[in-house]
Amino acid sequence: MKNISFVHLLLFSLLSLSLLSSCTEVIDIPLEDADRKVVVQASLYNVPGFSQVVLMQSGSFYEPGDYPLLSDAAVTISDEEGNSQLLEETQAGVYSLPSLIGKEGMKYQLDIEYNGENFQSGSLMKSAVQIDSVSFEMGEEAPFREAGYVMQVHFTSKNPSDTYLKFRLLVNDTLINRLYLYDGSLPRGGAGQYSFLTASFQKGDRIQIITESLDKEAFSYFDQLSELTGDAFGPPSAAPANPKSNLSGGALGYFAAVAASLKEVVVP
Amino acid sequence: MKKLLFGLLLSISISAFAQDKTTLSGYVRDAETGEALIGATIFIPSSGKGAYTNEYGYYSLTLQAGSYEVGYQYLGYQPRTEAIELTQSLRKDMELALAENSLDEVVISGRASDDNVQSAEMGVTRMSISEIKKVPVLFGETDVLKTMQLLPGVKPAGEGSSGFYVRGGGQDQNLILLDEAPVYNPSHLLGFFSVFNGDAINSTKLYKGNMPAEYGGRLSSALDIQMKDGNSKDYGLSGGIGLISSRLTAEGPIVEDKGSFMVSGRRTYADMFLLLSSDTTIKNSTLYFYDFNAKANYKLSDKDQIYLSGYFGRDKFGIGNNFGLDWGNATATLRWNHLFNDKLFLNSSLIYSDYDYKIELTPVNASISSGIKDWNLKEDFSYYANNENTLKFGVNAIYHNFIPGEVSNITDPTEGTSILNKKVEERYALETAAYFSHEWHPSKRFKMNYGVRYSNFAVLGPGSFYDYDAAGNVTDSATYASNELVTQYGGLEPRITASYVLNPEQSIKASYARNRQYVHLLSNSTATTPTDVWMPSTNNVKPEIADQLSLGYFRNFDDNKWESSVEVYYKDLQNQIEYKNGADLFLNDNVESQLVYGSGYSYGLELLLQKKTGNFTGWVSYTWSKTMRQFDEINEGNPFPARQDRTHDISLVGMYSLNKKWDFSAAWVYYTGDAVTFPSGSYVVDGNLVPLYSERNGYRLPDYHRLDLSATYFGKNPDSNLNISLYNAYGRKNVYTIDFQASTDNPGTQEAVKTYLFQWVPSVTYNFKF
């Protein structure tokens, strides 16, 4: 329980404490609707069945949910050896191919043509990182979590300071929509370990941990994204901005070549 | 430049000796306490000649031999007129007594205070602590910084904050000096208190960008705060007891009329309120600060006086037993005033300044620390050549030691594995400067103060330095040995202010100043948090440069009872610093790769109408301004308003002495809401709702306004009083921050939620003096 996030977390709760005397109230702030922008979510996995490219548009802020899916785009993924695959639109706005699988160590290129616009990106598929062991420790209730077990995972990677991981958790088959990010380039005592500080687990929970190894650029996108989704610790930025996409052409979103591994545990 | 300086000195000296002139000089002090009166006026009504005391209370006035009526005056004190026969140069120390109470109209013989019209100064505000103490403030705690924020062109950083912006500059662009020692973090309790204890302060002076050449190192302002010397005639104990803080000051002579001391301490006990909480974590938390000011001075001879002053303050925060944060400043100043003769005054200062913070995580035995340390040597000469010419010149050298961050974690009690010891390299630099300035009064109507400062900043080893490409990757690195020169910057900083008196009640003034700044505060939040890090200019970070041009019209009414001024300014800023989007700053060796550099400008109009004497005093101030920044990497390269771009800013301050028992005061402030970035849309990534931003700082917080009231009751002892104040009297819920979140009332939609801090804050303080 001692990585950098922990420090940020405490600092944040400290700031909250200092504002004890504060009060909150809903307020009417008129916001202008920006023009709709193209949002790309493109992932190429090293395992079958997961790779897909989703194209949609942004919507209003106060009434989210209306995000039109973009059909009839030409979506191509090619590797550095010159192999190129044109994806099929399997459902509205979703493009894939059953045979679409990436190889570790290969660099991939994504090309999207939609309605006269062109978006491009590249991503390197790194080596997958396997979780060696998982440990649990009882944690008290805190401002940022409920009482319950804190899970810590232990792993080894070839080049620890060039390891960028994004974890996805399925708890009793339910996906948790939260960004858990491990940045190996940061100074940390817990190299090769990660604590899920904001999640609390109960005895008997069945947890599937998907460990996604990313390249630095794709990771940086999620790292910046976490500042906006509230998953990053620390006081909110004074001047928030859109995460820098690794796509050219003015699209929001990302293209990531993902080397994934799966670990399943039951809380003892 | 030396030659020029010498030549000037020589020519002025010769012209002084060529005539049959004598010099009247000495110190002006408070009759009761012996405290130096800074900025007191000495004038000869018959000739219209005059002088001011300097920051040690010293003055020097050159006159033809003869007999004169000499007036001595200082705001809030009974003026004195002395008949002086000058056959040869004369040393005349003068003591002024406090005006018995403000009810007695201060009658000014010969001339009233029209300094604001007459002097070759603009964009300057002087305030004595007695004026500052009358203005109502948050928690009833006299606060220099918050009172300054009621003046035109000076804006608070946020609700209840002691941080401030001057003419569109950043918070780190203010040079804040306490007895000449720079104070790097002027805030306690995240800014709700300033580090300046009103009981320990004599006077303050704020320059809004057009500083004379003796000040340097910051772009936007110089705030010069002088501590009290302590009563040199009698022992005294004074203090105040308030709801959340108390103060105690002891002072007295070391040897009567030869030396004195002053010790003042303050502590808050806001954490007592935490005990009321039902939450055990909050109950076991700590939240307080304390600070001490101490000063001693001793007169070695008529020509030599030494001063030793210091400040020490700490803030302590703790959550339960798990977490501690403590930070604070320490400063020490040793000064020696020496009079070579009645015209040449030298002050030598040796100054130490230290700011540091430390976060402790008890369960894992870890700590994080950061700070900055300065050693500073100054030699400042004042040469009072004659009434038309005053020269100031000097040199300054500061050795900076920057400690960006260090983490130590010795053991992990539960696992005993993984040791973390990480330290971002310390940085070292030598900042040197030489200056000279000339206050020149070629005629009664025309006055000017011009000068130039040359500053140099040498970045020194040991350490590793890096070059970066646009993406922030290291392209080259070099390692330097101890005291080896890494890189250096330097340049001239010309300053000039000129005034032309149209008639005794009106003048016009103009000023230009260039300032360079070599130290920068990296901060990503609006609150003054202790984790903001000071860093030097380096091979990647260029010095910030500001050029400011201002024009002013000054006008007094009704026998100088009312003062008014109109000032306009334009300020150009170079090499401003911002973070890249998503910058990673914490303990990052390559923090310089996370920065972007740009420019800025601001312009504005400042109006001030002020009444300084009588039962009713106060002022109205209005500022209209625009403050913009431009960075290629931000907002698609388009200029955007800085957060502190507040179009309108109004302050009304009124103080009324009803009778000998009761004083009342009120202050009302209004300003345009800060420029902020809000979302203009949304989208979804991996199931997470993400706000979409369009323009940087394209939205506004709601306008801010607030009324504060205060009443003071004086008992039989006029030095003791009971003060009752009410902050935010009509309870406006001013916005501190706005957050957007999922609505609970209308599921599936988002709503804006404002956080406000202080709806009504009453406070009671009992001030006493024995």
Side-chain angles (χ1 to χ4, degrees), chain B residues 362-590:
Chain B
T362 320
V364 289
N365 202 11
S367 73
I368 302 162
S369 55
S370 171
I372 177 170
K373 280 190 188 78
D374 276 4
W375 285 97
N376 189 341
L377 186 67
K378 281 177 80 191
E379 293 292 333
D380 298 299
F381 289 89
S382 302
Y383 182 67
Y384 302 92
N386 52 44
N387 293 331
E388 288 73 44
N389 297 284
T390 301
L391 291 180
K392 289 188 176 180
F393 49 95
V395 290
N396 177 209
I398 307 173
Y399 184 74
H400 296 285
N401 176 9
F402 299 85
I403 304 142
E406 184 176 2
V407 166
S408 62
N409 181 345
I410 315 307
T411 52
D412 179 335
T414 51
E415 295 175 52
T417 52
S418 62
I419 293 164
L420 174 67
N421 265 314
K422 166 75 189 174
K423 183 169 182 173
V424 178
E425 271 191 299
E426 292 187 20
R427 291 285 187 236
Y428 306 88
L430 183 66
E431 184 174 356
T432 50
Y435 70 89
F436 110 95
S437 70
H438 179 193
E439 176 149 1
W440 183 36
H441 301 175
S443 80
K444 261 190 167 176
R445 285 173 178 269
F446 185 57
K447 292 176 185 173
M448 65 192 294
N449 185 332
Y450 67 91
V452 66
R453 182 180 180 89
Y454 178 81
S455 59
N456 184 279
F457 191 80
V459 183
L460 303 173
S464 298
F465 290 80
Y466 305 95
D467 289 331
Y468 303 98
D469 63 15
N473 299 310
V474 176
T475 56
D476 197 9
S477 73
T479 304
Y480 293 84
S482 186
N483 288 324
E484 193 179 347
L485 181 68
V486 177
T487 185
Q488 63 178 329
Y489 299 98
L492 289 172
E493 302 172 35
R495 321 270 174 90
I496 183 166
T497 304
S499 67
Y500 185 77
V501 178
L502 301 168
N503 62 43
E505 293 202 315
Q506 294 181 68
S507 65
I508 49 172
K509 302 183 187 187
S511 115
Y512 164 76
R514 166 167 276 209
N515 284 288
R516 288 170 192 268
Q517 179 165 344
Y518 303 99
V519 297
H520 322 279
L521 183 67
L522 296 188
S523 167
N524 197 26
S525 61
T526 50
T528 320
T529 58
T531 48
D532 299 344
V533 172
W534 283 93
M535 71 174 298
S537 289
T538 63
N539 51 323
N540 295 302
V541 183
K542 305 280 181 286
E544 300 174 55
I545 298 175
D547 291 283
Q548 180 177 284
L549 189 65
S550 51
L551 298 171
Y553 169 72
F554 293 74
R555 163 102 215 224
N556 288 2
F557 301 93
D558 192 13
D559 243 0
N560 298 317
K561 276 182 195 143
W562 294 82
E563 297 180 353
S564 71
S565 63
V566 181
E567 292 189 42
V568 291
Y569 67 89
Y570 180 84
K571 182 154 73 179
D572 180 72
L573 300 162
Q574 299 173 43
N575 303 331
Q576 298 299 290
I577 302 168
E578 283 267 359
Y579 294 127
K580 280 183 184 170
N581 292 341
D584 233 322
L585 303 156
F586 189 70
L587 285 179
N588 189 340
D589 276 321
N590 296 308

Side-chain angles (χ1 to χ4, degrees), chain B residues 4-22 62 64 341 343 383-389 391 438:
Chain B
L4 173 77
L5 190 63
F6 186 71
L8 256 165
L9 259 176
L10 201 67
S11 64
I12 291 166
S13 313
I14 289 167
S15 68
F17 282 111
Q19 297 160 44
D20 181 24
K21 292 212 162 171
T22 59
T62 302
Q64 300 273 7
N341 52 51
K343 288 174 185 290
Y383 182 67
Y384 302 92
N386 52 44
N387 293 331
E388 288 73 44
N389 297 284
L391 291 180
H438 179 193

Side-chain angles (χ1 to χ4, degrees), chain A residues 2 25 34 59-60 62 67 242, chain B residues 418 680 682 693 733 750 754:
Chain A
K2 50 170 186 186
E25 192 175 278
S60 101
Y62 279 130
Y67 306 120
N242 297 323
Chain B
S418 62
S680 293
S682 70
Y693 295 98
K733 298 168 179 175
Q750 297 280 308
K754 75 170 172 184

Side-chain angles (χ1 to χ4, degrees), chain A residues 17 20 140-143, chain B residues 271 273-286 318-323:
Chain A
L17 177 74
L20 271 182
E140 287 175 16
E141 191 189 330
Chain B
D271 45 343
F273 295 108
L274 301 181
L275 296 175
L276 304 174
S277 173
S278 55
D279 185 319
T280 48
T281 309
I282 293 175
K283 216 175 205 168
N284 291 330
S285 298
T286 50
I319 297 181
N321 298 316
N322 297 323
F323 174 68

Side-chain angles (χ1 to χ4, degrees), chain B residues 200-245:
Chain B
I201 287 165
N202 178 333
S203 74
T204 62
K205 184 156 70 164
L206 176 73
Y207 292 96
K208 294 185 286 190
N210 31 324
M211 294 76 112
E214 62 256 42
Y215 297 97
R218 301 291 187 282
L219 298 188
S220 292
S221 78
L223 177 61
D224 195 351
I225 299 174
Q226 306 284 337
M227 270 198 244
K228 279 194 341 191
D229 290 340
N231 195 325
S232 61
K233 295 171 184 290
D234 207 358
Y235 294 96
L237 196 63
S238 60
I241 299 167
L243 286 180
I244 64 163
S245 73

